Amino acid sequence: MLVDALATTVNPVDTFVRSGQFPTALSFPFVIGRDLVGVVAETGAEVSGFAPGDRVWCGSLGHDGRQG
């Protein structure tokens, strides 16, 4: 699913990961970020429950080595 992000945050976990206080294996370059709100732009064939135009939010991105 591709989401057009409308707003993001600086989550406290982002600052901990970036500072090294929350040890997380990172491969560089690394895009920090955990939270966003936006609108679904496209969905793939395996995506169900979402359609282009749906408003969405997400969190926990950037945790455990996942890119934001």
Side-chain angles (χ1 to χ4, degrees):
M1 174 166 52
L2 177 65
V3 175
D4 288 327
L6 300 175
T8 63
T9 68
V10 177
N11 187 298
V13 174
D14 296 334
T15 59
F16 297 146
V17 169
R18 182 116 178 150
S19 70
Q21 292 179 3
F22 186 82
T24 302
L26 305 175
S27 58
F28 291 95
F30 186 81
V31 179
I32 202 87
R34 293 178 59 85
D35 307 312
L36 70 82
V37 294
V39 177
V40 175
E42 297 178 30
T43 59
E46 299 295 317
V47 175
S48 62
F50 296 96
D54 287 351
R55 294 180 187 179
V56 294
W57 67 272
C58 67
S60 296
L61 298 172
H63 176 69
D64 198 25
R66 292 179 299 226
Q67 297 257 356

